[in-house]
Amino acid sequence: MSSLLSAELSATCNALGTINKKTGKYMIDDFTLNTVKDLIRYLRRDGEDHEIRRHFGQTKVLQTDLLPMLVDHWENSELFDVTLRLIVNLTNPALLLYREEVPTEKAARHNYLQILSHLQSYKEETFTKVDTWQVFAKKLAKTLEIDWSERDEDTGLIIERILILIRNVLHVPADLDKEKRPENDASVHDQVLWALNHSGILDIILYMSSENEKQYFMHILEIISHLLREQNPTSLADAALQRSVDEKLKDEQELLMMRMKENKERINKVKQFSGSRHSRFGGTYVIQNMKSISDNELISLKPLNKISNFNFNGSKTSKYMKPKNRRPVESGMMERRSAFAVRLFLKEFCIEFLNSSYNPMMHYVKDVLVRAKAQQNDESYYLWAMKFFMEFNRGHNFQVGLVSETMSVPMFHYVQQQMEKYYDMIKVEKKKFSVWVRRLHLALRAYKELLHTLLAMDKCTDSTVRDSAKVLKSNIFYVLEYREFILSIILNYDENKMPRSYLVDLVETVHLFLKMLEHYCKKTGLVVQKKVRKKAKPKKKTARAPPAPKPKPTKEVPVEQVEQHLSEALAAPADEFPPPFDAASDVPIEEQRGDCMKKIQILMRDEKYAEAVGLFRAAREVWPEEGVFGSPGIPEDEELDMLKTVYSADLGVETTDDQEEAHENSEYSADEEDEEEEEERTTAVVETDFDFQDFVQRFCHPRVVSACAALLERFDQNLPHINHCIVKMLHRVAWDCKRPAMMFQATLFVTFQKILANPISHFKELEKFAIFIIRKFAEIAAANGKVFIELLFWKNSKDSVEIELGYDLYNDQRDKAGKGAWTPEQEEELRSLYMENQSNPQTNQDVIDWILDNLIDQTRTRRSVIKKLKELGLIFRAPTKRANRERKDKGTFTEEDDSLLKELWQQDAETQDPTSAILSELKKRGVSRSRRSVVSRLVSLGVVGDARECRKPRRPDKSNRSSESSSSDDESDNSAKPAKPAKPVKQTNKHKPTKQTNRRTKPKKVELSANEIAKLLVRAVDDGYTEALEWLAENLEEVALDQEAEGFDPTADGTPLVPIARACVEAMDSNTLQEVLRSVGVMPPLDEQETYWRIPGDLHFETIRKRREIILKAINKELIIDSNENDDRVENGKESSDDDDLFDNLRKMRDANITEAPNTGETPNNSNSNTAPNTPNINSRKRSRSATSEDDNSRDKMPKIDEVEENDDDDILSFAKKTLQTEYLPDTEDILSGLPEHDSNDSDAEDVVLPAKRKKMRLISEDSD
């Protein structure tokens, strides 16, 4: 500090005033108030070294000026307020100034200790006086006389500052080196408590803890925690005019231990000096020819027979010192017995607080903590208060009603939740873990007290209390998390971070919980929750049986019949129908409009014509302005035409036939002959009978034994109850669980040696257990000589069994290290076996099976052999002979099968679905074939010319609805023409996607060219997804290896891609990587039951490997992208999925059609045959349903190219457009039927105009052959 600043601060302090020596009162002047404010300003400008604060402490301005001035002039409200602010600032805890962390730097630590010494001097010299606290008591009493609703803000601040001042004074730690006070003597802290009691502050605090002053409850709880921090609640509850029996017994035991210790030291000293004289009188010797550090000869203090017996370390004491950074910090909880008078009034204070304030205050504080309205980490005071007052209640006339607020199952959950939070913070705050360890210790002591109170309730004489305890125990023991928590807290003990006092409470808590659980299980039995891994029932994929006959006809009702029913419904009196609009629904209005139209169609197809008409008219009233449901006042004939159009349109509503056709298409895409079982493992919570012995078995852990052994090392300093808890825990492991070998440890044996050397009655239990373990060790050592080496290690349950029963008990060939490694001899053996097999190709046995049978090492797996063959460069292409044979046998047809197929085809060729009929007949005769194999065999035999002849014909195309509604003359004209086969129509609808498919239907493949896939991969690499792409390539290689080992099966389920690394998990959420996954053939999750992307099972392993090579080339930046490549796909106008755009387009089409109608002069009932030649470019949507034979030929020639046809005519827009048109146009099939068919080799084929809306996208993979 500069001399100028020091002089200025000293002058300011001197200007405060002076004490009149005659009267003893402090004299002030008119400038005193401003001087105090100047001191506050100086403190605001204080730096990190706190030099101004330390200067005020050195000058003792608080003891000599501020407090005397406050005592003599407390009625001056303004001066009292300003001075109180300054005193509160000066008494702030030192830890708060350094952000609750003791500084480690030398200068900062010196400043911290200096500030702490100043605080201790404040507490000792000024705040131990009753007169000082009487002033604050008067001010508080005067302020509290004002009702809380009438107090202003300044009055509330005065109350809060006085409470903070009391907290600051009580928070100052004791200076043990300076005080050196024994127990039952009044320390400085006791003197402060005495002054608070005599001044009436404690009575005011009790009054404020009532329900009227809830805003100060957190301050009061903090004050009470510092007030009683040095008190033991049990001894405080037993405080009386005479010493209790426990106190007498404890004092006698301490005195006896001290006398025995002195006698032992005296006997050892006698033994040491009785036999010979002291070594100092043994003489001094010189070792010749051996120099010391100086030039003189080396001196020895005792005679030596051999020079090798000379030891330079004889006088040194070797003691293991633990590194400073590994020493646990003690919790700082110091308990001592205060002066007898102090304990008496503190006992009365606790009794009054329990009777009047405990439950309401704890309820309010818990609510504040749960709602996060308090300061951070204020739950420490809550946990301390719960532990202290519940223990005090047990020791003083136990009444569970006084602590009912904190005795419940939610309280167990809250404390457990806080402990789990503290465990997490200890792992996160690695440099500041000591604060969290202290809070964890508070929570553990609170949890232990909850168990003690529960045990006291169980022993209570009141039956109601016992029943309540039984309910609490059943709830706690029933839930799995409460039981697992006890095991986890002892397994998470860390001796490098947690102090020994924490371990003492931990062992006692575990002992108490196990004791209560064991007693409850023996007395009443226990049914508990248990998490099990549940295996779902296997789901089998079987060959599809032929469809059973259904009562409903497979064909739709003809439009003429529907027209008759609709006419009757329209002519009938109109019934009121509820509006199809739900204002409270989350579905948008536009979607409700489309759903309404679908519902009308469903009603008509279900032959509910009256309801369909009613819904149609109700929808017209809801959406009159659109015109989709007709305009108001529309004639019945127009209404009938619109309803017929709705009936015939494809709105994406599946019928029974549609579902059957979709199922047939799925059968064409996958062979369902093989049965595969799908096993899903799920975790479920079930109820089961609790086995206490199984639960104790889980405590057979080296961490549990080592913790108990570390606590047992100071058995002579432990309380008898702690020693009992330790031995009981070790006894459960050694005797109950039959694991005595877990006690075979050198550290524990040293402790046993000390126990046996002190035959005291208090250690009788320890002595008995030590003898049992040592005898067991002697028995096992006689049979197992290696047990002496085992003394150096902590052992788990498996190791202890091996020590007793033999080391080869758990031996398994698969557990040996290096089980997957190949030695040079094994590689040479594999190479010779491979060459021998290749030289003998006539064998029918699978190659890999043959090698596995002839290998010396029979632990090798099929996959490892295939992988090693590739590493050795031995060309071996899967599928193996076994897989080929299986596939060959699966599709082989004998001559009898061929003749049966021909016979069945001649029999069922005229049926509606000949293939299904043939499959049904085959199944009746015990032959199981797939639909695909039957169709391909019929084609290969020449029975049918094309596979399309075997398919079930579809229902009449909805596009012919115009011709069906035409006049009878047109029908006769059409019937007079030669009939055109329906094959082109079937061919068009072969790949026609339905709108509502089964949710398990495989999604469409991505429609990208090879160049676009390369661009996607390059973009993914540029965006930083290299690690994710490498992970994808590794998974593809793993799947390829599995297929090689097991054989390619296209019906197998896909392999899920489960990301583990953080980069891969984040990349899976990006659109770029998802596009890459789709482009290489990886399928997204099908529904909500699937989580991960899957590599489909129908991808051949060679295809997978080639796609993996493309990915690796992209990672290595070896891909070449053709920037001049033009996309062959024709972009159609994008149709918005939004219904607003949809119906806007409808209105525009309707207006355009209305304007064109007068010019053409055509009526809506014109024949299709008359208008067909003039409308080649109109209604191009319909043309997309037509197809040519060239498309099928191209599909047959290029099996490796996946053709995806997009047919977007079956949507609401198409239907509504046709509804709004004022003229009926010819159907595309009718136009194409009149055109001559062109041969695929015709040179004029280029002149054929294909439909404009037909869009075929091809996904060409780089790996196609």
Side-chain angles (χ1 to χ4, degrees):
M1 179 184 295
S2 63
S3 58
L4 183 61
L5 180 59
S6 176
E8 186 176 355
L9 291 175
S10 300
T12 307
C13 294
N14 292 334
L16 285 172
T18 183
I19 296 178
N20 191 341
K21 295 182 179 180
K22 294 182 180 180
T23 60
K25 291 187 177 182
Y26 195 86
M27 307 296 294
I28 61 174
D29 55 15
D30 297 338
F31 302 100
T32 301
L33 179 62
N34 293 329
T35 305
V36 176
K37 292 181 179 179
D38 290 338
L39 293 178
I40 295 175
R41 294 190 190 97
Y42 284 130
L43 281 176
R44 287 178 183 171
R45 295 187 301 175
D46 203 359
E48 294 183 357
D49 55 353
H50 306 286
E51 57 180 358
I52 297 176
R53 183 181 299 273
R54 289 187 286 114
H55 182 272
F56 288 158
Q58 291 174 356
T59 58
K60 297 186 177 182
V61 65
L62 188 141
Q63 298 97 313
T64 59
D65 292 285
L66 295 180
L67 275 177
M69 179 175 58
L70 194 67
V71 170
D72 293 336
H73 303 279
W74 67 275
E75 295 180 354
N76 187 342
S77 301
E78 188 176 3
L79 180 62
F80 181 88
D81 186 18
V82 176
T83 308
L84 180 61
R85 287 166 52 194
L86 180 58
I87 293 175
V88 169
N89 196 342
L90 288 174
T91 57
N92 269 337
L95 276 176
L96 291 181
L97 300 176
Y98 287 90
R99 299 176 183 177
E100 297 187 359
E101 184 179 2
V102 178
T104 56
E105 197 269 329
K106 183 177 180 181
R109 189 174 183 84
H110 177 267
N111 295 337
Y112 167 79
L113 294 176
Q114 189 176 6
I115 293 173
L116 188 60
S117 64
H118 293 159
L119 292 174
Q120 291 170 348
S121 64
Y122 295 159
K123 182 176 182 179
E124 182 179 2
E125 297 175 13
T126 58
F127 291 105
T128 56
K129 299 178 182 178
V130 179
D131 298 339
T132 304
W133 292 111
Q134 282 180 347
V135 173
F136 296 107
K138 293 176 183 178
K139 192 68 176 179
L140 271 177
K142 186 177 179 180
T143 308
L144 291 173
E145 289 177 358
I146 307 173
D147 189 72
W148 65 273
S149 60
E150 298 178 1
R151 296 176 200 154
D152 56 1
E153 185 177 357
D154 294 337
T155 306
L157 287 175
I158 290 176
I159 298 175
E160 189 172 358
R161 284 170 184 156
I162 293 175
L163 294 177
I164 293 175
L165 176 62
I166 299 172
R167 188 280 311 267
N168 291 346
V169 173
L170 294 174
H171 185 274
V172 178
D175 189 357
L176 301 179
D177 296 333
K178 183 179 180 181
E179 292 184 25
K180 296 182 180 179
R181 302 293 181 102
E183 291 191 353
N184 294 320
D185 193 6
S187 63
V188 174
H189 191 73
D190 293 340
Q191 295 174 25
V192 174
L193 298 183
W194 181 267
L196 288 173
N197 182 55
H198 279 265
S199 62
I201 293 291
L202 295 184
D203 296 332
I204 294 176
I205 290 176
L206 279 175
Y207 169 76
M208 293 181 66
S209 61
S210 62
E211 296 186 6
N212 294 332
E213 305 293 340
K214 290 184 177 181
Q215 64 271 26
Y216 305 116
F217 274 4
M218 291 304 302
H219 293 292
I220 294 172
L221 189 62
E222 189 174 359
I223 289 172
I224 293 174
S225 67
H226 293 301
L227 192 74
L228 303 170
R229 69 184 178 196
E230 295 181 354
Q231 306 300 321
N232 184 282
T234 303
S235 62
L236 189 63
D238 294 337
L241 297 177
Q242 295 181 352
R243 287 194 307 164
S244 63
V245 178
D246 294 337
E247 289 181 356
K248 291 180 180 180
L249 181 61
K250 183 179 180 181
D251 293 341
E252 289 176 359
Q253 289 178 356
E254 291 179 357
L255 181 59
L256 180 61
M257 292 293 296
M258 292 174 64
R259 287 190 61 186
M260 293 183 63
K261 185 177 181 181
E262 291 178 357
N263 291 334
K264 183 179 178 180
E265 291 178 355
R266 182 174 54 82
I267 293 173
N268 291 336
K269 185 178 290 187
V270 170
K271 289 181 179 180
Q272 183 178 0
F273 302 119
S274 61
S276 60
R277 299 177 65 188
H278 195 271
S279 60
R280 295 194 188 95
F281 302 97
T284 302
Y285 302 90
V286 176
I287 303 177
Q288 295 181 355
N289 300 327
M290 185 176 291
K291 295 285 186 179
S292 62
I293 297 177
S294 62
D295 294 336
N296 299 326
E297 293 180 339
L298 188 62
I299 297 175
S300 175
L301 299 178
K302 60 181 180 180
L304 300 174
N305 296 329
K306 295 181 180 179
I307 191 63
S308 59
N309 295 336
F310 185 76
N311 186 10
F312 291 95
N313 297 325
S315 60
K316 296 180 181 179
T317 57
S318 59
K319 185 178 180 181
Y320 172 72
M321 297 294 294
K322 208 169 195 178
K324 187 176 181 181
N325 59 348
R326 296 182 61 188
R327 298 179 198 166
V329 181
E330 280 298 329
S331 59
M333 300 178 184
M334 185 187 67
E335 291 183 356
R336 62 181 298 274
R337 268 187 295 182
S338 300
F340 180 69
V342 175
R343 282 186 287 154
L344 284 179
F345 75 75
L346 287 179
K347 177 182 178 181
E348 295 298 328
F349 175 83
C350 293
I351 294 173
E352 291 294 331
F353 182 78
L354 271 176
N355 290 326
S356 61
S357 306
Y358 179 80
N359 283 333
M361 176 179 283
M362 299 299 280
H363 175 77
Y364 177 81
V365 172
K366 173 72 177 300
D367 183 69
V368 169
L369 293 174
V370 171
R371 297 176 183 271
K373 294 181 180 179
Q375 294 183 0
Q376 195 173 9
N377 302 318
D378 273 352
E379 67 272 2
S380 301
Y381 303 112
Y382 178 79
L383 296 172
W384 176 90
M386 182 174 64
K387 182 262 174 189
F388 185 91
F389 287 103
M390 292 182 72
E391 184 177 352
F392 181 86
N393 183 47
R394 281 194 301 111
H396 181 269
N397 299 331
F398 174 67
Q399 299 179 28
V400 71
L402 298 179
V403 293
S404 59
E405 180 60 36
T406 54
M407 194 60 211
S408 59
V409 175
M411 186 55 60
F412 278 90
H413 174 71
Y414 176 77
V415 177
Q416 178 175 334
Q417 192 177 25
Q418 293 300 318
M419 292 184 69
E420 291 172 351
K421 170 189 170 185
Y422 297 151
Y423 275 120
D424 294 338
M425 294 307 298
I426 289 172
K427 296 177 182 178
V428 173
E429 299 284 347
K430 296 184 178 180
K431 293 184 178 180
K432 301 179 181 179
F433 65 86
S434 58
V435 179
W436 296 104
V437 169
R438 186 169 64 251
R439 292 169 183 154
L440 176 64
H441 194 182
L442 281 172
L444 177 64
R445 298 180 75 180
Y447 195 86
K448 182 182 74 171
E449 186 51 42
L450 286 172
L451 295 177
H452 273 300
T453 306
L454 188 59
L455 184 61
M457 290 174 61
D458 200 22
K459 296 179 181 179
C460 185
T461 56
D462 190 355
S463 60
T464 306
V465 177
R466 289 199 304 271
D467 293 340
S468 301
K470 186 177 180 180
V471 172
L472 285 174
K473 287 196 294 185
S474 62
N475 290 332
I476 293 169
F477 297 151
Y478 173 77
V479 180
L480 174 67
E481 285 73 15
Y482 291 128
R483 302 193 307 273
E484 296 294 324
F485 177 70
I486 289 296
L487 178 62
S488 66
I489 59 176
I490 193 169
L491 293 181
N492 289 332
Y493 171 73
D494 187 356
E495 62 176 359
N496 296 326
K497 296 180 179 179
M498 301 170 185
R500 187 176 184 276
S501 56
Y502 174 84
L503 181 58
V504 170
D505 291 324
L506 177 60
V507 171
E508 191 175 355
T509 304
V510 174
H511 168 76
L512 182 59
F513 186 89
L514 291 178
K515 176 183 176 182
M516 295 173 60
L517 181 59
E518 183 180 15
H519 178 71
Y520 189 84
C521 293
K522 289 181 179 178
K523 188 177 180 180
T524 59
L526 183 61
V527 177
V528 297
Q529 285 183 347
K530 182 180 179 181
K531 287 184 179 180
V532 296
R533 286 190 172 272
K534 200 173 182 181
K535 185 182 290 185
K537 292 183 178 180
K539 300 177 182 178
K540 296 184 178 181
K541 295 181 180 179
T542 56
R544 181 177 176 267
K550 298 184 179 179
K552 291 187 178 181
T554 56
K555 293 186 179 180
E556 290 185 353
V557 181
V559 179
E560 294 80 4
Q561 187 176 350
V562 173
E563 181 180 359
Q564 180 181 358
H565 291 295
L566 287 175
S567 300
E568 296 175 359
L570 290 171
D575 297 332
E576 293 186 1
F577 201 86
F581 171 68
D582 186 4
S585 175
D586 295 333
V587 182
I589 300 176
E590 294 78 6
E591 293 185 15
Q592 292 189 35
R593 184 167 47 195
D595 295 340
C596 178
M597 194 168 290
K598 294 179 181 179
K599 191 173 181 180
I600 294 172
Q601 186 187 63
I602 293 173
L603 290 173
M604 287 190 292
R605 291 183 178 180
D606 292 342
E607 300 181 3
K608 300 178 181 179
Y609 302 106
E611 296 181 12
V613 172
L615 182 59
F616 187 78
R617 292 173 175 174
R620 185 189 308 152
E621 297 177 0
V622 176
W623 296 285
E625 69 280 356
E626 303 296 335
V628 178
F629 299 98
S631 57
I634 185 175
E636 288 187 5
D637 54 348
E638 295 183 11
E639 196 171 12
L640 178 61
D641 293 338
M642 296 184 72
L643 285 172
K644 288 193 299 181
T645 308
V646 171
Y647 176 78
S648 302
D650 189 354
L651 304 181
V653 179
E654 283 191 355
T655 60
T656 305
D657 294 336
D658 295 331
Q659 295 175 1
E660 292 177 357
E661 292 168 4
H663 191 58
E664 290 171 7
N665 291 336
S666 65
E667 288 180 344
Y668 265 82
S669 63
D671 186 4
E672 296 181 351
E673 182 182 15
D674 295 338
E675 294 184 357
E676 293 188 359
E677 294 186 357
E678 216 179 82
E679 294 184 354
E680 297 179 357
R681 289 187 174 272
T682 58
T683 303
V685 178
V686 299
E687 288 188 346
T688 182
D689 293 332
F690 182 72
D691 190 346
F692 178 76
Q693 192 59 36
D694 289 345
F695 181 70
V696 175
Q697 195 81 26
R698 301 179 62 190
F699 285 85
C700 297
H701 197 281
R703 288 188 178 181
V704 178
V705 179
S706 62
C708 294
L711 197 57
L712 194 62
E713 290 180 1
R714 303 184 188 177
F715 66 94
D716 52 345
Q717 301 176 12
N718 295 338
L719 294 176
H721 179 66
I722 299 300
N723 287 333
H724 169 71
C725 296
I726 298 170
V727 174
K728 184 61 179 177
M729 187 73 252
L730 296 177
H731 182 268
R732 292 184 188 276
V733 175
W735 177 260
D736 296 347
C737 300
K738 305 295 188 296
R739 297 292 186 271
M742 293 185 69
M743 309 295 135
F744 297 168
Q745 219 282 335
T747 305
L748 198 56
F749 275 30
V750 171
T751 306
F752 288 162
Q753 185 181 12
K754 295 178 182 178
I755 292 172
L756 296 176
N758 293 296
I760 306 175
S761 59
H762 306 308
F763 304 147
K764 204 69 177 176
E765 189 178 18
L766 301 178
E767 183 181 351
K768 187 177 179 180
F769 179 75
I771 293 174
F772 167 73
I773 296 298
I774 293 175
R775 285 178 177 173
K776 277 290 182 180
F777 178 80
E779 292 176 6
I780 296 176
N784 182 10
K786 299 178 182 178
V787 71
F788 296 97
I789 307 300
E790 298 286 356
L791 287 174
L792 303 176
F793 309 99
W794 297 106
K795 292 158 282 294
N796 55 25
S797 181
K798 177 183 175 182
D799 297 336
S800 64
V801 174
E802 288 181 343
I803 291 173
E804 294 186 68
L805 303 180
Y807 290 99
D808 55 350
L809 185 64
Y810 289 102
N811 278 2
D812 192 347
Q813 187 74 13
R814 295 171 298 178
D815 294 337
K816 290 186 178 180
K819 62 180 181 181
W822 291 77
T823 62
E825 294 79 7
Q826 291 175 339
E827 292 180 357
E828 185 62 31
E829 178 192 6
L830 179 64
R831 187 181 289 106
S832 61
L833 287 175
Y834 170 79
M835 300 304 297
E836 180 181 350
N837 180 272
Q838 295 300 310
S839 62
N840 186 22
Q842 65 272 12
T843 177
N844 291 326
Q845 189 178 6
D846 177 73
V847 178
I848 306 301
D849 289 345
W850 186 86
I851 293 176
L852 287 173
D853 293 341
N854 291 274
L855 275 175
I856 297 176
D857 187 0
Q858 291 296 314
T859 62
R860 297 294 179 184
T861 61
R862 183 181 186 87
R863 181 176 177 179
S864 64
V865 170
I866 293 177
K867 188 175 181 180
K868 195 62 184 178
L869 286 173
K870 289 184 175 296
E871 292 178 2
L872 296 176
L874 302 177
I875 306 302
F876 178 76
R877 297 181 61 84
T880 60
K881 295 178 182 178
R882 181 180 69 180
N884 285 331
R885 186 176 67 252
E886 290 176 354
R887 297 181 63 190
K888 181 178 179 181
D889 295 342
K890 186 166 62 175
T892 301
F893 282 82
T894 62
E895 294 182 0
E896 297 178 358
D897 295 337
D898 292 342
S899 60
L900 179 61
L901 276 180
K902 293 178 182 179
E903 178 184 350
L904 292 176
W905 174 259
Q906 294 176 359
Q907 176 182 344
D908 302 325
E910 301 300 328
T911 59
Q912 184 179 3
D913 190 1
T915 307
S916 298
I918 292 174
L919 289 173
S920 178
E921 291 293 334
L922 289 175
K923 189 173 183 180
K924 291 179 181 178
R925 304 188 185 193
V927 180
S928 178
R929 295 288 181 182
S930 65
R931 178 182 292 268
R932 177 183 297 173
S933 61
V934 169
V935 172
S936 61
R937 190 61 180 172
L938 288 174
V939 174
S940 62
L941 292 174
V943 178
V944 295
D946 194 348
R948 293 189 296 272
E949 299 180 16
C950 302
R951 297 179 190 166
K952 175 184 176 181
R954 291 182 179 266
R955 53 185 173 82
D957 200 308
K958 304 167 190 63
S959 62
N960 294 329
R961 57 187 176 277
S962 301
S963 60
E964 292 176 358
S965 60
S966 59
S967 61
S968 59
D969 296 333
D970 297 331
E971 294 176 0
S972 61
D973 294 340
N974 293 336
S975 60
K977 296 179 181 180
K980 180 84 174 177
K983 292 180 185 178
V985 180
K986 290 183 181 180
Q987 176 187 355
T988 305
N989 293 335
K990 174 183 177 181
H991 300 285
K992 177 178 175 180
T994 58
K995 294 292 180 180
Q996 296 179 353
T997 58
N998 193 342
R999 66 183 183 90
R1000 299 295 298 180
T1001 304
K1002 185 180 293 187
K1004 294 181 180 180
K1005 294 184 179 180
V1006 180
E1007 302 155 1
L1008 296 176
S1009 65
N1011 196 54
E1012 288 177 332
I1013 296 175
K1015 289 180 180 179
L1016 274 177
L1017 290 170
V1018 172
R1019 188 177 70 183
V1021 173
D1022 295 339
D1023 291 347
Y1025 297 119
T1026 304
E1027 183 177 353
L1029 291 176
E1030 292 176 351
W1031 164 74
L1032 176 60
E1034 291 177 3
N1035 282 273
L1036 291 175
E1037 178 62 22
E1038 292 289 333
V1039 173
L1041 284 174
D1042 290 340
Q1043 284 193 8
E1044 283 184 341
E1046 301 170 4
F1048 175 64
D1049 185 6
T1051 62
D1053 288 342
T1055 304
L1057 289 174
V1058 183
I1060 302 299
R1062 181 184 295 273
C1064 299
V1065 174
E1066 294 176 354
M1068 290 297 289
D1069 297 332
S1070 65
N1071 295 330
T1072 302
L1073 189 64
Q1074 290 181 2
E1075 292 178 4
V1076 171
L1077 292 174
R1078 290 190 180 93
S1079 66
V1080 298
V1082 182
M1083 295 300 178
L1086 297 179
D1087 51 26
E1088 66 278 358
Q1089 295 182 358
E1090 292 186 2
T1091 306
Y1092 303 107
W1093 291 65
R1094 291 178 177 269
I1095 301 174
D1098 55 358
L1099 276 181
H1100 197 269
F1101 58 88
E1102 293 182 353
T1103 304
I1104 293 175
R1105 281 215 171 86
K1106 291 181 180 180
R1107 297 187 182 184
R1108 173 180 174 271
E1109 292 175 2
I1110 297 174
I1111 296 174
L1112 293 178
K1113 287 182 180 179
I1115 295 174
N1116 299 327
K1117 299 185 178 179
E1118 299 175 359
L1119 277 183
I1120 300 176
I1121 301 176
D1122 186 7
S1123 58
N1124 298 324
E1125 180 187 6
N1126 296 325
D1127 192 1
D1128 295 334
R1129 293 177 297 176
V1130 179
E1131 290 287 339
N1132 289 337
K1134 292 185 178 180
E1135 299 176 4
S1136 175
S1137 60
D1138 192 354
D1139 287 343
D1140 290 337
D1141 299 337
L1142 185 146
F1143 285 102
D1144 288 342
N1145 295 333
L1146 290 180
R1147 287 191 291 272
K1148 294 177 182 179
M1149 295 176 192
R1150 182 189 61 186
D1151 296 340
N1153 291 331
I1154 292 175
T1155 55
E1156 291 176 2
N1159 297 331
T1160 57
E1162 296 177 356
T1163 62
N1165 294 328
N1166 284 344
S1167 174
N1168 291 340
S1169 60
N1170 296 332
T1171 59
N1174 298 326
T1175 57
N1177 296 324
I1178 299 176
N1179 199 5
S1180 59
R1181 284 187 172 276
K1182 286 187 173 183
R1183 296 184 183 183
S1184 62
R1185 282 182 290 190
S1186 62
T1188 61
S1189 60
E1190 294 179 1
D1191 300 331
D1192 294 321
N1193 294 334
S1194 62
R1195 276 193 295 270
D1196 296 335
K1197 293 176 181 178
M1198 295 186 294
K1200 289 292 183 179
I1201 300 177
D1202 299 328
E1203 297 184 355
V1204 183
E1205 300 181 39
E1206 290 195 0
N1207 193 354
D1208 49 2
D1209 64 320
D1210 299 325
D1211 53 9
I1212 300 177
L1213 179 60
S1214 175
F1215 151 69
K1217 175 182 174 183
K1218 299 162 189 173
T1219 305
L1220 295 174
Q1221 285 177 345
T1222 58
E1223 58 178 335
Y1224 284 81
L1225 300 177
D1227 197 354
T1228 308
E1229 277 72 10
D1230 296 334
I1231 297 175
L1232 294 179
S1233 62
L1235 297 177
E1237 294 190 3
H1238 296 268
D1239 192 1
S1240 59
N1241 299 324
D1242 192 358
S1243 60
D1244 298 334
E1246 297 179 356
D1247 298 334
V1248 179
V1249 180
L1250 295 178
K1253 288 292 182 177
R1254 175 86 172 186
K1255 183 165 67 172
K1256 299 176 73 176
M1257 295 187 179
R1258 300 184 299 170
L1259 176 61
I1260 306 176
S1261 59
E1262 293 275 340
D1263 49 22
S1264 58
D1265 293 332

